[in-house]
């Protein structure tokens, strides 16, 4: 009896994932034209899972992440479904959305310097979401803020300090402390370490990794650095031109990428000691599509990566490309994948 | 091999603001760049690597030591600097900021030659430089403005501007830090090609050890105003001696080793610790408890390019 109950419970949880994103599309409207930034992205994420989203600037990765909590400007038109605990956040009332932000899902933004208020102490800033969402007193909030600061490796006596009194790495840690303030189930980290030095980046990533392991939070981490993501996240989604080019377990995506773009991104960051990359930097000719090219892509058939693809064939220009299963738990949007499974 | 560019015991000290101690940004550095050689200078922000790069092109006047070009000490009169910069060109980090948004590509690249009075067959010179930088055909790009180009193309325009003067040395400060991953490799390839086809020497400043592995012959690791380890790329990156270099390599995602996380932030050039300047953060010193580490100053590394590796550490000699 108990055994069946136990086996039943995770099944039910698996049936309704914490986050279920379905066919998410974002269009920016302005100047009489429409620019599609995200063109149909779907994925799921459960508690305790980590998903890395990689891509170049303009690939739509940040737009995608921010649209999940409707943090985009009003010029952005978002369609599709973002089911958080079964509830669609894209159609939810503002009051409901405000309740979800911070307490259920929070964001670690890219530039800690501009995301923190320079004229308020960090203690006040960490307390603010706690006071608003958890309906506790000033004193409890203060104590929680001190605890949080301590958990990110900063002395709690610095609660009265202002953002400019901290270094870049410390500010990024304060941002993480704030994101954890209301014990959320989901954290969206948008390039959390991009502006930091290697050593400080390692410290921050280490901290984030520990906190996730301890608390079982779900994490979506956005970065342009595939090697950082593969180290931090179990699963990886590579975005190109507003779509997912390949998604699957991180290790497999790095060691045996099925999409030529994943392969190129992986090679862009060399492994020191690998003779193949010594005095041989690997790049990818051409540039990612510009906004106007993206608008055209939306109307035409063919693979968005085809103009830069070293393995493109005639079929790549004419066939519609979508995500196809390319192995257990992974998918790739490349015609080659179909050839592979056919053989 | 005779160095085309050399610094000897270079010091750059920035004067203090009221009451504070002066910042010793570069605090005794010996470094040589040979003919056709690519040297990578790596370190964290605040270690003095950008100040060193600026001193190399004469943008910062050293407070001690010398910059030598082909063995001749650099003069700091306006005329001497102008002549020097024909041979040593600087490529900056952010191409968007380095280019004038109201100037088209032709004028941006022609600016150097015009300043130096090289207006004879200017069009040909500019087009050659654009083609060398990989903007082909050059006629197609000459009329464009910076906002009409991608980041990678903008960086190629900046490099073309440097090449237009036919320099023998390029000093590049984080040339790919602001570029996308797939474009990064293309720009690094270009630097390697320029070395092979024109015999160009380069000093590339970066925080990225992978960049050194990708393009450099030799590497110098800088910490708090000094070079702490230098040598061939293979020796320094595969068999690092200095505990700082070892820590930097260990935190790379695919190092395969347990990461050595240094505590604290990069320290402050206004208060350089005595003894070995790395001792407050050094994991090796914590283990060995040697009295020389905080008691005895280390000599400045000679920067001798024939040595396969040199490390400034009491414990790993």
């Amino acid at each position: 009896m108990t055994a069946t109950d136990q086996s039943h419970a995770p099944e039910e949880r698996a049936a309704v994932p914490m986050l279920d994103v379905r066919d998410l599309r974002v269009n920016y409207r302005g100047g009489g034209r429409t620019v599609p930034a995200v063109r149909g992205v779907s994925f799921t994420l459960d508690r305790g899972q980590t998903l890395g989203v990689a891509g170049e600037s303009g690939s739509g990765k940040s737009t995608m992440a921010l649209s999940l909590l409707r943090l985009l400007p009003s010029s952005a038109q978002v369609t599709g479904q973002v089911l958080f605990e079964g509830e669609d956040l894209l159609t939810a009332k503002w009051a409901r959305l405000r309740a979800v932000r911070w307490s259920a899902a929070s964001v670690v933004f890219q530039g800690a310097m501009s995301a923190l208020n320079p004229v308020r102490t960090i203690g006040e800033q960490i307390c603010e979401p706690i006071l608003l969402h958890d309906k506790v007193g000033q004193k409890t909030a203060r104590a929680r803020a001190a605890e949080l600061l301590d958990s990110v490796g900063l002395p709690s006596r610095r609660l009265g300090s202002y953002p400019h009194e901290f270094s870049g790495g410390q500010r990024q840690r304060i941002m993480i402390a704030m994101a954890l303030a209301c014990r959320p189930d989901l954290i969206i980290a948008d390039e959390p370490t991009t502006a930091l030095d290697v050593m400080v980046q390692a410290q921050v990533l280490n901290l984030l990794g520990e906190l996730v392991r301890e608390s079982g939070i779900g994490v979506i981490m956005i970065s342009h650095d595939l090697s950082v993501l593969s180290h931090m996240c179990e699963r990886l989604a590579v975005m190109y031109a507003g779509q997912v080019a390949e998604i699957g377990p991180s290790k497999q995506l790095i060691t045996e990428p099925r999409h030529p773009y994943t392969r190129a991104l992986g090679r862009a960051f060399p492994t020191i000691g690998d003779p193949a990359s010594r005095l041989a930097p690997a790049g990818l000719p051409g540039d990612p599509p510009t906004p106007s090219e993206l608008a055209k892509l939306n109307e035409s058939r063919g693979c968005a990566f085809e103009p830069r693809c070293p393995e493109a064939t005639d079929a790549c220009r004419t066939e519609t490309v979508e995500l196809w299963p390319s192995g257990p738990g992974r998918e790739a949007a490349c015609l080659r994948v179909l050839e592979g499974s056919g053989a | 091999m005779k160095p085309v560019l050399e610094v000897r015991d270079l010091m750059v000290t920035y004067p203090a603001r009221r009451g504070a101690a002066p910042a010793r940004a570069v605090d005794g550095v010996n470094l040589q760049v040979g003919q056709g050689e690519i040297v990578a200078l790596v370190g964290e922000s605040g270690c003095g690597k950008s100040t060193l790069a600026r001193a190399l092109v004469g943008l910062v006047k050293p407070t001690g030591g010398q910059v030598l070009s082909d063995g001749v000490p650099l003069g700091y009169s306006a005329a001497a600097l102008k002549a020097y910069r024909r041979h040593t060109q600087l490529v900056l980090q952010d191409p968007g900021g380095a280019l004038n948004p109201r100037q088209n590509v032709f004028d941006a690249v022609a600016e150097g030659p015009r300043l130096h009075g090289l207006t004879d067959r200017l069009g040909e010179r500019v087009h050659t430089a654009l083609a060398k930088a990989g903007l082909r055909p050059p006629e197609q790009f000459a009329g464009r403005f910076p906002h009409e180009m991608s980041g990678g193309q903008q960086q190629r325009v900046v490099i073309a501007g440097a090449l237009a003067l036919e320099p023998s040395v390029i000093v590049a400060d984080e040339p790919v830090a602001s570029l996308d991953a797939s474009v990064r490799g293309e720009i690094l390839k270009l630097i390697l090609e320029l070395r092979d086809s024109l015999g160009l020497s380069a000093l590339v400043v970066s925080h990225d050890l992978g960049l050194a592995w990708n393009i450099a012959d030799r590497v110098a690791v800088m910490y708090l105003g000094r070079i702490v380890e230098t040598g061939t790329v293979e020796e320094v990156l595969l068999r690092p001696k200095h505990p700082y270099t070892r820590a930097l390599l260990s935190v790379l995602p695919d190092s395969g080793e347990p990461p050595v996380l240094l505590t604290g932030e990069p320290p402050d050039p206004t208060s350089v610790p005595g003894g070995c300047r790395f001792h407050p953060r050094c994991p090796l010193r914590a283990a060995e408890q040697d009295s020389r580490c905080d008691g005895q100053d280390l000599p400045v590394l000679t920067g001798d390019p024939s040595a396969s590796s040199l490390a400034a550490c009491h414990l790993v000699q």
Side-chain angles (χ1 to χ4, degrees):
Chain A
M1 197 58 190
T2 10
T4 48
D5 276 351
Q6 273 173 349
S7 68
H8 208 73
E11 244 172 62
E12 259 175 6
R13 201 181 274 172
V16 184
M18 175 176 68
L19 182 69
D20 187 353
V21 177
R22 293 181 189 171
D23 197 33
L24 185 70
R25 289 170 190 272
V26 182
N27 291 315
Y28 285 108
R29 283 186 304 180
R33 58 176 192 168
T34 304
V35 174
V38 180
R39 306 187 299 129
V41 168
S42 305
F43 64 90
T44 62
L45 185 81
D46 249 318
R47 264 180 208 80
Q49 284 188 344
T50 44
L51 174 71
V53 182
E56 295 174 274
S57 44
S59 65
K61 58 187 191 302
S62 287
T63 297
M64 188 277 285
L66 296 181
S67 70
L68 300 178
L69 291 178
R70 280 161 63 187
L71 291 165
L72 294 173
S74 57
S75 61
Q77 194 180 31
V78 186
T79 58
Q81 283 184 306
V82 177
L83 300 172
F84 186 77
E85 311 281 6
E87 178 186 6
D88 191 350
L89 294 183
L90 293 186
T91 54
K93 292 222 165 61
W94 276 105
R96 177 68 198 130
L97 191 66
R98 266 200 297 274
V100 169
R101 288 180 185 171
W102 288 114
S103 59
S106 58
V107 184
V108 179
F109 290 103
Q110 191 169 148
M113 192 52 192
S114 41
L116 291 168
N117 186 337
V119 297
R120 295 182 62 202
T121 66
I122 58 144
E124 288 174 67
Q125 295 186 57
I126 300 177
C127 285
E128 190 181 354
I130 305 176
L131 288 169
L132 273 174
H133 287 277
D134 289 7
K135 306 201 170 53
V136 294
Q138 188 64 248
K139 211 172 165 187
T140 326
R142 201 79 186 166
R144 175 101 67 84
E147 225 171 81
L148 284 164
L149 211 54
D150 194 52
S151 72
V152 295
L154 290 171
S156 50
R157 62 183 151 78
R158 299 206 58 186
L159 276 177
S161 303
Y162 289 89
H164 74 269
E165 297 174 77
F166 294 90
S167 71
Q170 289 172 328
R171 282 197 287 260
Q172 202 60 49
R173 283 190 238 176
I174 294 166
M175 291 294 292
I176 294 175
M178 281 177 75
L180 293 167
C182 296
R183 304 192 177 95
D185 299 315
L186 172 67
I187 286 186
I188 298 167
D190 187 10
E191 305 257 14
T193 60
T194 299
L196 304 177
D197 270 318
V198 233
M199 191 52 73
V200 186
Q201 165 175 303
Q203 289 166 359
V204 171
L205 289 178
N206 200 40
L207 168 75
L208 202 57
E210 263 173 36
L211 293 171
V212 170
R213 269 193 299 279
E214 281 168 15
S215 52
I217 305 172
V219 176
I220 298 177
M221 191 165 142
I222 319 291
S223 177
H224 65 285
D225 190 334
L226 206 58
S227 53
V228 163
L229 286 180
S230 66
H231 200 63
M232 277 291 294
C233 304
E234 298 152 25
R235 276 199 312 151
L236 212 56
V238 176
M239 282 187 71
Y240 189 79
Q243 289 173 325
V244 174
E246 187 165 7
I247 184 166
S250 302
K251 291 221 167 56
Q252 290 181 29
L253 250 67
I254 298 296
T255 52
E256 6 164 2
R258 296 293 303 272
H259 197 288
Y261 182 62
T262 315
R263 206 167 299 145
L265 262 194
R267 279 194 202 135
F269 298 96
T271 307
I272 288 170
D274 173 16
S277 58
R278 178 73 184 121
L279 294 180
L284 190 62
D287 290 294
T290 60
S292 55
E293 284 167 344
L294 273 174
K296 273 183 225 149
L297 274 175
N298 236 12
E299 290 148 22
S300 60
R301 296 165 77 88
C303 173
F305 184 58
E306 182 271 330
R308 299 176 76 189
C309 185
E311 301 166 32
T313 59
D314 289 341
C316 297
R317 274 185 284 278
T318 51
E319 300 289 318
T320 305
V321 178
E322 55 189 85
L323 278 171
W324 288 294
S326 58
R330 54 187 294 197
E331 293 177 308
C334 178
L335 286 167
R336 291 276 160 130
V337 173
L338 288 185
E339 287 170 24
S341 64
Chain B
M1 195 164 56
K2 195 178 153 206
V4 288
L5 188 61
E6 184 180 359
V7 295
R8 280 189 201 152
D9 297 316
L10 194 80
M11 312 268 266
V12 181
T13 307
Y14 290 114
R17 288 203 291 189
R18 267 166 280 149
R24 286 146 69 189
V26 178
D27 195 29
V29 164
N30 289 309
L31 186 68
Q32 303 187 359
V33 181
Q35 168 72 43
E37 191 178 38
I38 299 180
V39 177
L41 181 67
V42 296
E44 292 175 281
S45 46
C47 73
K49 57 188 194 302
S50 289
T51 299
L52 179 56
R54 289 175 167 268
L56 277 170
V57 289
L59 283 173
V60 174
K61 197 175 173 183
T63 42
Q66 281 181 317
V67 177
L68 297 99
S69 163
D70 284 322
V72 183
L74 176 58
Y76 287 88
S77 67
L81 279 176
K82 189 174 167 185
Y84 172 64
R85 290 191 187 129
R86 258 204 76 176
H87 302 285
T88 308
Q89 279 284 313
L90 180 68
V91 173
L92 286 169
Q93 177 171 169
D94 172 24
L99 294 171
N100 180 345
R102 300 189 54 179
Q103 207 174 35
N104 70 17
V105 168
F106 186 94
D107 289 330
V109 176
E111 192 167 0
R114 280 180 181 147
L115 279 174
H116 287 271
L118 304 166
T119 44
D120 230 26
R121 295 157 79 183
L122 182 66
E124 195 182 311
R125 186 181 275 270
V126 170
H127 284 174
T128 314
L130 284 173
K132 278 181 194 160
L135 294 169
R136 298 187 194 97
E139 300 78 27
Q140 228 186 63
F141 289 94
R144 288 202 204 172
F145 286 88
H147 73 268
E148 297 173 297
M149 291 183 294
S150 68
Q153 289 170 336
Q154 289 178 353
Q155 190 61 295
R156 286 175 193 269
V157 173
V158 172
I159 293 175
L163 293 176
L165 288 168
E166 292 164 358
S168 50
V169 188
I170 277 189
V171 176
D173 190 0
E174 298 275 13
V176 294
S178 64
L179 301 179
D180 266 319
S182 66
V183 182
R184 171 188 182 277
E186 295 296 303
I187 296 294
L188 294 181
K189 255 188 222 167
L190 172 66
I191 296 176
L192 269 182
E193 281 165 17
L194 292 173
R195 184 259 292 270
D196 293 342
S197 60
L198 309 174
L200 205 63
S201 312
L203 181 91
V204 184
V205 177
S206 177
H207 67 283
D208 179 3
L209 291 161
L211 178 145
W213 181 257
N214 265 163
I215 65 166
D217 302 302
R218 284 193 302 123
V219 60
V221 182
M222 203 165 168
Y223 182 82
L224 199 51
R226 285 258 177 106
I227 289 174
V228 295
E229 184 161 6
T230 176
T232 62
V233 166
E234 280 85 357
E235 202 58 43
V236 173
L237 297 188
L238 299 183
R239 289 172 287 277
K241 287 187 188 144
H242 198 282
Y244 180 62
T245 318
R246 280 195 246 165
L248 277 186
L249 283 162
S250 77
V251 296
L252 296 181
D254 21 47
S255 71
E257 285 174 47
V260 180
L261 287 178
L262 298 177
T263 46
E265 312 277 332
D268 183 4
T270 60
S271 59
V272 176
C276 166
R277 54 194 59 212
F278 183 55
H279 84 258
R281 298 173 80 194
C282 183
L284 203 60
R285 175 200 175 237
E288 302 222 348
Q289 294 295 343
D290 194 303
S291 64
R292 287 175 302 172
C293 290
D294 54 355
Q296 192 182 331
D297 282 352
L298 284 155
V300 175
L301 292 181
T302 56
D304 178 4
S306 60
S308 67
S309 100
L310 297 165
C313 176
H314 287 298
L315 303 175
V316 297
Q317 292 307 326

